[in-house]
Every structure is written in C-alpha cells, then in structure tokens.
Amino acid sequence: MLPKNKKMPNRKIFASLAMTVGLLIAASCDDIDEVDRITVGEVQKTAVTGEQVTVEFGDQTFTYTNQHRLLIEDFTGWRCVNCPNMAAFLHQNIESVFPSVVVSLHPAANSLSNTDAVASRFSLSCTLADEIANMVAGSTVASSMSLPAVSINQKPYNGQTLLSGDTTTVYNSLRELAMSEYKYYNLFNDGRLTNIAVNVEKISDKQYNLTTLVLKKENDKIANIRLQLWLLESGIVAYQSTQTGVNREYVNNHVLRMAINGNQGEVIKGMYGDFTKSYTLSLEGTNYVPENCSVVAFVSDPSTNEVLNCIEVKL
Amino acid sequence: MRIHFTLITASLLLGFTGPLFAQDGKMKLSGSVQSDWLVAENDEAIGANKDDYRGTLLGNTYINLNFDSKYVTAGVRFETMEKPLPGFENPADTKPFYGTGLPYFQVTASNHKWIEATAGTFYEQFGSGFVLRAYEERSIGIDNSILGGRIVLNPYKGLRLKMLGGVQRYHFSWNDDNPVFGADLELNLDQWSKALSERGHIITLGVSGVTRRDSDTRRDFTNATTEVEIDPITGVPSVYMKTQTNTLLMPEWTSAMDVRLQWQHAGYNILAEYAVKSHDPSTDNSYAYRHGSALMLSASYSKRGFSAIVQAKRSEDMGFRSDRTASPTVTSLYLNHHPAFAYQHTYDLATIYPYATQMDGEWAFQGEVSYRFKRNTPLGGKYGTLFRLNASHIRGLDKKPVRASILGTAGTKGYDASFFGMTDQVYYQDINLTMEKKLNKQWKLTAMYINQQYNMSVIEEGAKADDTNEIVKANIFVADASYVRNPNFAVRFEGQYMITKQDEGDWAYLMAEFSFLKDYMITLADEYNTGLHGGLDTHYYSFAGVWTYKSSRLQLGYGRISEGLNCTGGVCRKVPAQRGFTASWYYVF
C-alpha cells in the first residue's frame, strides 16, 4: 500500500485520465448478435474411397487410387467351351462394376488349357498357373479341375475357394462374394484398408525396375504380409473353343506369364511401418510384347492366403 | 519475443543498477532457494510406474533473488524443472511445463507519494479475484503472472487506482497473442468522512475491470457424415462423406467487471461483491455465448474467544482464461480465481476428497462458528477449550438447455438457469467439528470429526450432476496429541480413520513425529487403505527426517504417495501414485 498522497503535479488531470482509461477498459464489451455468430458452410460430398493419392516415400513419388480392388483369378483354357462365357460374365458383371484386377490363368497340367501341342501357333499355359491353382484350392487340382474356375481374393465362399462351372449358381456366388468383399473394404473408412502402389522404370528395351509401396492398414505397424508380383500379357490371339465352334481369332487378355518375385512371392515379416520393395523385371529370352504387358502386384495374408489388395500397372 | 527481451533487459538493468542510486545508500539483497527432488521407483502394488515420468531423478527448483532500496525494488527468479515431479505436467498443455529459465523478473519504482510503477512480471489480485488473480502456487504448479507493466496511483487520500497490461505466463512462455488489460479503483470512504473514521467504521468500495484480447476469433466446426448410395442399375453401393464446415465468430475482446463494498466495524465485517463477464465462448462452456456472473455475500463477527462467519456465493460461467481454446483441465491459464467455499483441511484423510471450484457454475454456502470456553469453567478446564463447527454445502446450477444451434451448444446461450435454481444432487458437503484442548503444560489434544459428501464425477471429471453419479459419503475421525517436554524434545501423534462404503472404502492413518535437539525432526507415517468396504488393503508408508539450521531446512524421506488430488484454494492438481526417495531443501537469505 502506498503512503498517503501529499503532492502530485496535475494530479487531478492524471487521475481522471487514468480512471477514464480504466473504465473504458472495463466497459469494452464485444458481444456478437446471435444471427451473426455462425457462418454456415456448404455441404461437400466426396467419395470415401476411390480418390487419387500421391505420396512421397523415400526418393520416389507414388500415385495410386485409394480403394480396395478385387483380385479375380480366372482359370481358363482354350479347349474349354464354357470359358468364354465366364470371361464375358466377369467382364460385364464384376470387372465393370467393382474395382478389380482380372488375371487369366491357363494351367499347363490341365488338358483343356495346355497349349504345348499348339506351341508353334500360340502359347498360353504355364506351370505357374498349376501351382497357383493348387495353392488356392489347397490340394492338387490343376490337372483335374473343371474349367472355368474362378477365385475372388483367394477367399472361400461356402467353403470353396475355387468356384467352377458355367452355372447360374456359380455366377450368383461370384456376385455375392464380390459384393461382400467390396463392402468390407470400401464402405468403411476405418483404417482396414491395405494399399499398394507400383512404380515402373524402364532401364532398357526389356529391362524394368519395379518399386512396390505397401501402405499397411492402421494399427498394423509390423509387417506380416505376402507380396507377389506377376507379369500379365494382353492381346494374345489364339484358338478358342466355344459353344458355337472354334474361334481362331479369340483375343486373350490378362494372361499370366510369369512370377516376378518367386512363384510363392515374398513373405515380409518384422518390417516396421509402410515399406517399399524393389525388383528387376527382364523380358530377355521371351517373345512377350512389352507394350501389351502389365504387372500385377498384390498383398495377402500368409496365414490364410486371403488377398488384401492388388493393383495392375502397364509396363 | 523482442518485447520480452526488452522487458527482461530493462528489468534487470533497472533492478541491478537502481539500488546503486538509492538516496539513503541502503541496499538489501535477499532471496530464497527451494529445491524438491524424487528418485522414483516402480511399485506395482500402488500403480507407480516411473516410465510415466521423464526419468528416474525428478525435481523442481526455484531460486529467488530480490533487491531492495528506498525507491527501487527488483526481483528475479530462476526456475529449472527439466524433469518435473510427478503430476505437474498436464497432457492437455499445449506448452510444456518442463524447462529452465527466468520466467519471473521485475522492477518496481515508487516515489512513496503518489505513484508506483512495475515493469516485468508481476502478480496481482483485484478484490476477491473474481475477475483477476495472477498468483503463484507452487504446490499445484500454478504461476499465472503477467508480463508487462503496472502503475499504481494514489492521487487522493483514500483513493487507489491500479492499471496494468501484459501477457499471461504459460509455463516457460507467454500467451503473446492474447494480452490482458485491467484497472482497479478502490475508495476508502472512511478517509473522506471524519464521522465514519472517528466511529471506527471502515468502508471500502472497489470497482475493477479486466479485458482480454483473444486472437482466436474464428473457429471451424466440421461436421462429417457418411452416406451409402445404391447405384440404381448395378445395385452396387458406394459410400460418400458429406462434410460441412461451419464457422463460429467469436468476440475478440472479452471483459469482466467487479464491484464490491466492504464494511468493517469493531468485530463485524460484511462484504458484498458482484462480478459480471461479457460473452466468452470457450472450451469451458462449449462455446456458449452468455454473460457470466458471480455474487458473493460474506458476513463475519469476531471477538476474543468467539468468531462466526456465514458466506454464500453464486457463480455462473465465470471461467475467464487467457486462451479460450485451451482444455478445461489447463488450470494455469485462468486469469481469475474463485475460492472454494469449503474448509481447507490439513489432516491427511480429510484431504482425500477435496473440493475443486466448478467454474461453470455453482451455489455455495459456508458457515463457521468458533468458541473458546474460558479457563476454569466446566468445559474450559484449566487451560480453556476451543470448539469450531464448520459447514459447507455446494450444489450446481439448475440448467435447462436451450434449443441447439447447427453447432449444438456453440453459438447459443447454452442454457437457462433461474437465480435460485440448484441441482438435486450435491456437488460437495463438508461438516466438521473440531475441539482443541490443552490438557496440561506438556500435552495438547485436538479431536476432529468430519462428514463429507463428494460428487466424484463432477469434481474429478467435470461431468454433469445427475442421478447416475455416485456420491462418496465419508465419516472421518481425527485425534492429534502433542507432547512438549522442553525445547529439545517434543512428540506428536496423529490417528485418523475414514469410514466410507464408496470409492476405495475405508482408510486409516497413523503418524508419529519426533522433534529433538531443536533442529531435528523425524516423521513416520502410514496411510492405509484398509480393504474394508471395497478397498485395496494397501499401505502408503512414509518416513522423513528434517534438519533445520538457521534459515535452511533439509528434508530427506522415503515412501509411497497415493494417487489423488492436491488442491489449494479450490484449484487442484492430479497427483499420480508414486514411491521413492525424496529430498527437499529450502533456504532463505
């Protein structure tokens, strides 16, 4: 407490001024009328999934579509008269409706699909397709399986991973499975989506560097994932038996040619966070047409083989 | 930052060179050191985990230096708490509690006639603190000092005017964007009236105003909903997110005013104080636009051997902070203070359930009667006996929500509340009776009974009072006996027991304190959660040795501390369970 005042130059003026300032401060309200308080913004509608995403990772830039794509493995054969029906069904009812990647597999062990006898004209079959069929079905089925046979995400439907035949039941089952998988991954923006992107760098006429980025789902920081890369070729003209005869100029697309990182792919364990893997692709010694080729990369759960996501990129 | 540097430099230069020019040539240097340390240990039984702290060795240290001369005084405080003691850091803080620096530095010049000026950091309180209280309370980690300037004028006899402006301290930085200005006018009417002063009446009229600028005047609220749309042709569903960002426009300036009138005569003291605050949408009130208010009435009477006080307070939306967007749990940013209308207990078990002032609104009542029976009477005995009865009762306001805006409560006035409306459920109640009796020249006895009701959900979690909240009802008994044989030996015993069927059940507490050779003291204590009525059967034992030498006090200890609230004046800090060696040094020079 200050001692009592005795003298103060111009004190009345000073005190009055000070008190005025104080009262002004005290009275300085800044209320806003109710009607002016809220500015209502416009409603914006955006797709939860399906937007283009560009991400920097390491020294590379990756672009991918943020959504889940179905991996459709269509086991087919050039002598299989019902197979073109399945291909048409898949194209019209699955591939055109759901984000998906279709792979045509011609098992070498199956008499309906082996092309060794016509190798001088065209070549479609490969033993890799046998291996995949056996892995998907969980037994040695490649030689005896009925074609067409289709697997979606290598996921069982009513206990069957391979759905065989050209029947309404099979088609309905495929539709239901595709819808179920699409809904599971794409209708909920809750971090359950694993994503994948591939950069292709041409280093010579038939040499390519492939860099794959895997963006794991949320809360799944430690990798325990299988990564597989396949080479596909489209625009292959070959004979095809149909229900009305042989079509000698049937165009085969998405034909599985080879595995890029091993027939079983690569199981990655203990990798923290998102990661990239690089591979070299060589088409030396093959007659594959690079312009018609593409790379399919997909990630799956090693314990169940269930495909988590996939992507197809042109060479 | 540049302003801070200039103020620091000016304060230090003035502070250190000012005394050199003191007219009377007297210069005084004084100061103090307080350093508290804990070597933390893990203790699974009580839930103490040193991984929750910044390290094993934790400490808070404060060093004050003060210079005094006739016309200039200055002060500076060095603080270091790189690894603070448990419970001082709040996860909701946007600026860290830990650090090292000189957060306090000031110089005050006065001509001892009509002006006093302060530059640097300073503490201040207007009236009861309803609109401004900048203070330091280390035990709960509060230092909301203001960095800036203050002028105190005494232009007329019985009139004092304070004006201040600055920015509030926030741990080791300042809330630069949100300056605060205030003025306080206090009139001592009795100094203007000979009739009043001659009859011993003291009448004080005070008016205060505080205004705060908040740079956060726009706040976006984004509302997002997901909708599934079915393609009419393919039947394929797609999910879309609809987002809408609405913006809340908030006042840049918020002001609060306080008027108070106090009359004192003989043993009587009556105080009436009323404060009001302009619209202050913030996290505290869910961005509601309403005028805050507080009314306090206090009447007391005291004479030798007898005192009585009754108080009532109604407050409503009076949380006034220097950052409206800060989490409500950040107590460091309050500009004002509302004292708890509840007895501030010192006995251990009675502090387990303390009251924290609810700044969003409350009705609080408190009364106390104290009487000392005279010596040589049946109840007074040979040395007299003191009885003190204290009761406090606090409820919330009966709030009726108003129609929500597109942003919910934000943008509306939040609720309607009648002046006398109260919640059905009690927030807090404390009734305690104390008896202090000196038995003979050596023995003194204190006995206390406490009945508490504690709405844990409201006080600890800020929940609304409703029937789902469980009220902790506790009965506590305390006995405190001290024996002083001579200045070289004294002993004190405390025995306490709490009975409650809620929360952690019954507690017991035993303490023995031995003082010997004037300068030494040893304390042994055990706070025991007995396991009765749902407790955990856990001992919180502790040992401490104290050595006092001249103006130094050194304390070494070891033991457990139970998890709980540490409250001072209605402001609380959550203290986690801890165990370890403790050291504390306090030195004044």
Side-chain angles (χ1 to χ4, degrees), chain B residues 79-191:
Chain B
E79 296 182 7
T80 180
M81 43 201 87
E82 291 294 336
K83 294 177 180 176
L85 292 168
F88 280 89
E89 291 182 274
N90 183 341
D93 271 329
T94 54
K95 292 180 180 173
F97 181 86
Y98 68 87
T100 296
L102 292 173
Y104 177 80
F105 46 86
Q106 63 111 326
V107 57
T108 298
S110 171
N111 68 354
H112 295 279
K113 290 178 182 172
W114 55 270
I115 186 168
E116 178 187 289
T118 302
T121 50
F122 54 87
Y123 302 104
E124 184 56 86
Q125 177 168 332
F126 292 168
S128 299
F130 286 177
V131 296
L132 182 78
R133 188 189 186 200
Y135 69 112
E136 186 200 18
E137 183 53 64
R138 286 180 197 168
S139 65
I140 51 174
I142 299 262
D143 185 336
N144 64 345
S145 55
I146 294 171
L147 169 63
R150 175 183 58 192
I151 293 175
V152 183
L153 298 174
N154 196 16
Y156 297 97
K157 181 184 173 186
L159 187 152
R160 190 190 63 191
L161 179 66
K162 293 180 185 174
M163 291 182 296
L164 59 87
V167 292
Q168 192 185 36
R169 178 184 173 186
Y170 189 8
H171 301 327
F172 281 95
S173 53
W174 285 275
N175 250 345
D176 290 333
D177 296 334
N178 301 345
V180 181
F181 303 93
D184 178 66
L185 177 68
E186 202 161 275
L187 302 170
N188 290 103
L189 301 179
D190 50 284
Q191 295 194 30

Side-chain angles (χ1 to χ4, degrees), chain B residues 33-284:
Chain B
V33 178
Q34 182 184 337
S35 193
D36 302 310
W37 295 89
L38 169 72
V39 182
E41 294 180 345
N42 288 332
D43 191 334
E44 200 174 323
I46 62 170
N49 186 347
K50 60 184 183 182
D51 291 341
D52 296 339
Y53 318 142
R54 290 194 175 272
T56 300
L57 180 62
L58 310 164
N60 296 3
T61 297
Y62 311 81
I63 302 172
N64 272 317
L65 279 176
N66 300 310
F67 298 91
D68 288 298
S69 67
K70 185 174 179 183
Y71 294 114
V72 178
T73 61
V76 63
R77 183 167 64 240
F78 170 81
E79 296 182 7
T80 180
M81 43 201 87
E82 291 294 336
K83 294 177 180 176
L85 292 168
F88 280 89
E89 291 182 274
N90 183 341
D93 271 329
T94 54
K95 292 180 180 173
F97 181 86
Y98 68 87
T100 296
L102 292 173
Y104 177 80
F105 46 86
Q106 63 111 326
V107 57
T108 298
S110 171
N111 68 354
H112 295 279
K113 290 178 182 172
W114 55 270
I115 186 168
E116 178 187 289
T118 302
T121 50
F122 54 87
Y123 302 104
E124 184 56 86
Q125 177 168 332
F126 292 168
S128 299
F130 286 177
V131 296
L132 182 78
R133 188 189 186 200
Y135 69 112
E136 186 200 18
E137 183 53 64
R138 286 180 197 168
S139 65
I140 51 174
I142 299 262
D143 185 336
N144 64 345
S145 55
I146 294 171
L147 169 63
R150 175 183 58 192
I151 293 175
V152 183
L153 298 174
N154 196 16
Y156 297 97
K157 181 184 173 186
L159 187 152
R160 190 190 63 191
L161 179 66
K162 293 180 185 174
M163 291 182 296
L164 59 87
V167 292
Q168 192 185 36
R169 178 184 173 186
Y170 189 8
H171 301 327
F172 281 95
S173 53
W174 285 275
N175 250 345
D176 290 333
D177 296 334
N178 301 345
V180 181
F181 303 93
D184 178 66
L185 177 68
E186 202 161 275
L187 302 170
N188 290 103
L189 301 179
D190 50 284
Q191 295 194 30
W192 294 359
S193 164
K194 198 174 177 182
L196 286 175
S197 58
E198 282 181 353
R199 288 175 173 78
H201 292 273
I202 300 172
I203 299 177
T204 308
L205 173 67
V207 182
S208 308
V210 177
T211 188
R212 176 216 66 206
R213 176 184 178 270
D214 199 313
S215 56
D216 237 325
T217 57
R218 296 173 69 84
R219 185 162 183 81
D220 289 340
F221 291 81
T222 299
N223 178 36
T225 55
T226 52
E227 288 184 5
V228 176
E229 288 185 4
I230 309 291
D231 187 302
I233 299 170
T234 64
V236 173
S238 298
V239 65
Y240 291 92
M241 184 174 285
K242 283 186 175 176
T243 56
Q244 186 180 27
T245 300
N246 304 308
T247 304
L248 191 66
L249 185 63
M250 297 179 286
E252 183 177 6
W253 294 90
T254 299
S255 300
M257 276 194 76
D258 177 278
V259 291
R260 56 194 181 274
L261 180 65
Q262 186 173 24
W263 170 71
Q264 298 171 70
H265 176 68
Y268 295 95
N269 189 337
I270 295 177
L271 169 68
E273 185 161 355
Y274 180 69
V276 63
K277 180 168 68 94
S278 66
H279 289 173
D280 186 19
S282 68
T283 54
D284 289 343

